[in-house]
Amino acid sequence: MSEDLKKRIVDLFHEKSRGDKKKFYIRDVTKWLPDDDRHAVQDAVKVLLDEGVLVYWSSGSTTYIMLAEFFPKEETCS
Amino acid sequence: MAKSKTPLLDELEKGKWPSFVKDIKQAAQKSPMAEDLLQQLELSYKDKIGHWKHGGIVGVKGYGSGVIGRYSDRPDLFPNVQAFHTLRVNHPTGWFYKTDALRKLCDVWDKHGSGLTNMHGSTGDAILLGTKTEHLQPCFDDLSAAGFDLGGSGSALRTPSACVGPGRCEWACIDSLDVCYNLTMEFQDKIHRPMFPYKFKIKVSACPNDCVASIARSDFSIIGTWKGKILINPAEVTIYAGSDLDIQKEVCDLCPTKCMEWDGKTLKIHDGDCNRCMHCINLMPKALRPGKEKGATILVGGKAPIVQGALLSWVVVPFMKLEPPYAELKDLIERIQDWWDENGKSRERLGELIKRVGMRVFLKAVGLPAVPQMVKAPRSNPYVFFWPEEIQKEVK
């Protein structure tokens, strides 16, 4: 797993989360990195989820990914 | 008599059918969560608005699906349902439980949740309704110890489901239970770690009766079928002829492709025209049986109407032999999911993507040949759009 790819993903999450929008589709993340292999990006996101840097947010039908620090306070993230 | 605290909900108990209100009232006698649920529901009927906020928390350690977060927007009034999360538990294939397994499941839920269940949700999972955030992980741990796992939710592969198949049905052309179990085990990561543009459902029916309605409800439908002639037992046909069954009127005339002939003594089937509707076999089960060479038809693109309208699945492989370890089937699923994952927009189902870009693009991408069985409306739409290079090839 490339540490560089993970760092770029986290940096992009911080950059894109500056506005009101904090939740992103995995599709958004792969689009941010068009020159990287989609599967490698997905694997790196999974590692970041395991490390607790990113968290899932789900409506039940659709899943989003966000920085753990922005997860709504009233809801404890796993 | 004391005035009821839920006069609006009481109305729902008056109809012919068993009411969920009665069940919740029964549960409320020992569960404060069920009591608050009842009162909040009464308020929703009074206010004509739902009082749930849903979404957020998604699972337990290592999982991104299987839990659907739900919160009351009136925790001041109903503190016991301030958090009322749903757990989706992967059901045993074909929904066969041993009694001890069912007891264990209920014990876990009595310990950690409201005691209310929905057995089963439309995807197939056992739905456990209502637990608090701090109980999610312990509940999952206890479920795991009892041999259960969470199912899929969100933008993931949803829990595959199958009809009872050979476990209880004489028409089974494939072992739907084994296929479903194999796919569930193979694609664990895709069920528990959402990485797709949207949901993806796989359903397995062991015969064309399609008892799990895979054709209408799944992105990838596996339906048992046969090759060759329907097996006819002439002696049993004669017995049916002597019964109340009007073979001409009720069997032959209702055949959708009119592939059957009955002269009062002999039943003939033009098998080449049969579209596996199962009508004749269902009406004359002792006389007719599916043919000997069995396998499955693979269809893609079915879905219920959410983002776009409802779609029925479309044949992409007319006949596939299905034998463990189902390598050909798994490989096809991987190729299709990968293409959809790469090309689908967020919240776009497989069927919608195929509709947007066209079936021939899909076929080329996943390496499937165009065959006559793929004609979407057979007998009414004979048109197939070939790639230009294929036409050139034919001309040569």
Side-chain angles (χ1 to χ4, degrees):
Chain A
M1 178 56 54
S2 157
E3 289 301 316
D4 169 63
L5 179 57
K6 279 166 58 185
K7 185 178 178 310
R8 282 188 288 134
I9 291 171
V10 174
D11 288 346
L12 280 163
F13 263 97
H14 279 288
E15 185 190 322
K16 305 285 181 183
S17 302
R18 280 188 196 138
D20 290 340
K21 189 176 175 183
K22 309 290 183 200
K23 298 169 197 153
F24 301 94
Y25 296 115
I26 182 66
R27 196 91 185 85
D28 296 331
V29 185
T30 52
K31 274 186 188 166
W32 296 340
L33 295 158
D35 297 331
D36 286 275
D37 176 68
R38 177 168 49 90
H39 299 107
V41 172
Q42 290 177 347
D43 288 344
V45 167
K46 283 180 190 171
V47 173
L48 289 165
L49 287 161
D50 287 339
E51 291 172 353
V53 178
L54 301 176
V55 289
Y56 283 116
W57 190 102
S58 173
S59 66
S61 68
T62 311
T63 306
Y64 302 83
I65 295 162
M66 65 194 302
L67 287 164
E69 63 205 75
F70 294 127
F71 197 84
K73 289 284 179 287
E74 60 179 349
E75 302 156 16
T76 313
C77 60
S78 57
Chain B
M1 200 171 85
K3 196 177 169 188
S4 168
K5 289 192 287 184
T6 55
L8 296 171
L9 290 183
D10 294 349
E11 291 296 314
L12 296 175
E13 290 184 282
K14 292 179 182 171
K16 284 182 186 175
W17 299 97
S19 170
F20 69 95
V21 173
K22 189 176 177 182
D23 287 340
I24 301 178
K25 281 183 177 175
Q26 206 171 22
Q29 288 173 9
K30 60 175 185 177
S31 163
M33 289 181 97
E35 174 61 28
D36 273 9
L37 173 68
L38 204 61
Q39 299 306 325
Q40 176 167 305
L41 192 58
E42 177 73 14
L43 184 65
S44 289
Y45 274 93
K46 189 178 165 210
D47 294 349
K48 294 187 169 55
I49 190 169
H51 282 289
W52 293 115
K53 294 184 292 179
H54 71 106
I57 196 158
V58 292
V60 293
K61 194 164 177 53
Y63 282 51
S65 66
V67 175
I68 296 150
R70 192 184 299 269
Y71 300 87
S72 170
D73 71 358
R74 294 303 307 268
D76 53 325
L77 296 177
F78 312 112
N80 292 307
V81 292
Q82 183 267 330
F84 196 76
H85 308 311
T86 295
L87 271 89
R88 286 191 183 159
V89 178
N90 195 327
H91 57 287
T93 309
W95 302 282
F96 289 104
Y97 291 87
K98 289 202 292 184
T99 50
D100 67 328
L102 204 48
R103 273 192 203 96
K104 279 181 195 168
L105 186 64
C106 292
D107 287 345
V108 170
W109 196 232
D110 276 338
K111 180 179 168 188
H112 294 288
S114 69
L116 295 167
T117 66
N118 170 10
M119 304 282 274
H120 293 86
S122 47
T123 296
D125 298 298
I127 309 287
L128 307 182
L129 297 161
T131 189
K132 296 176 190 301
T133 306
E134 61 270 26
H135 275 277
L136 287 173
Q137 188 66 45
C139 183
F140 171 74
D141 294 341
D142 284 351
L143 285 169
S144 298
F148 287 93
D149 194 2
L150 295 183
S153 66
S155 304
L157 174 62
R158 300 303 180 83
T159 314
S161 72
C163 69
V164 294
R168 216 175 62 187
C169 177
E170 67 205 277
W171 302 138
C173 296
I174 54 171
D175 189 342
S176 52
L177 306 170
D178 191 51
V179 173
C180 183
Y181 179 75
N182 250 278
L183 297 181
T184 303
M185 299 311 285
E186 177 78 17
F187 297 124
Q188 281 288 294
D189 192 58
K190 293 180 179 187
I191 295 172
H192 300 309
R193 310 290 301 259
M195 282 290 146
F196 284 155
Y198 200 24
K199 63 182 88 166
F200 191 97
K201 298 184 179 181
I202 298 175
K203 295 193 189 296
V204 193
S205 282
C207 85
N209 276 326
D210 195 12
C211 288
V212 289
S214 66
I215 200 165
R217 305 194 301 147
S218 63
D219 301 271
F220 192 93
S221 320
I222 302 163
I223 302 179
T225 189
W226 66 90
K227 258 186 181 177
K229 293 177 179 299
I230 290 176
L231 305 178
I232 304 175
N233 181 335
E236 291 291 346
V237 173
T238 307
I239 294 171
Y240 275 111
S243 73
D244 291 341
L245 182 73
D246 184 334
I247 294 178
Q248 182 60 49
K249 195 175 160 190
E250 295 175 57
V251 182
C252 299
D253 291 352
L254 294 178
C255 171
T257 62
K258 306 287 181 239
C259 73
M260 306 183 81
E261 279 179 43
W262 172 242
D263 63 6
K265 284 183 183 170
T266 310
L267 185 68
K268 272 190 195 165
I269 302 176
H270 302 283
D271 291 272
D273 285 335
C274 171
N275 70 354
R276 314 291 192 270
C277 82
M278 294 290 287
H279 176 71
C280 60
I281 295 176
N282 290 335
L283 281 192
M284 304 169 72
K286 287 184 178 175
L288 305 175
R289 299 191 66 79
K292 280 183 182 165
E293 194 181 347
K294 290 169 179 159
T297 297
I298 310 297
L299 307 91
V300 297
K303 62 176 275 292
I306 298 181
V307 180
Q308 285 188 25
L311 295 172
L312 290 179
S313 286
W314 192 338
V315 173
V316 291
V317 180
F319 190 85
M320 184 186 278
K321 272 271 181 205
L322 282 189
E323 282 161 1
Y326 312 109
E328 190 186 355
L329 179 70
K330 289 172 186 170
D331 181 55
L332 179 63
I333 293 171
E334 291 271 14
R335 276 183 281 144
I336 289 174
Q337 286 178 339
D338 199 50
W339 175 75
W340 168 63
D341 187 23
E342 185 169 0
N343 296 284
K345 296 178 182 173
S346 294
R347 303 196 75 217
E348 184 175 49
R349 297 282 288 271
L350 175 64
E352 291 162 347
L353 172 60
I354 293 173
K355 211 174 153 193
R356 177 163 64 84
V357 302
M359 179 54 103
R360 65 175 179 164
V361 174
F362 165 78
L363 293 176
K364 195 175 199 179
V366 300
L368 287 171
V371 293
Q373 290 90 338
M374 289 174 187
V375 176
K376 192 166 189 191
R379 299 170 182 83
S380 62
N381 177 1
Y383 295 103
V384 173
F385 295 95
F386 289 100
W387 290 97
E389 61 268 28
E390 286 175 342
I391 296 167
Q392 289 300 321
K393 214 161 48 185
E394 285 297 312
V395 169
K396 281 175 193 171

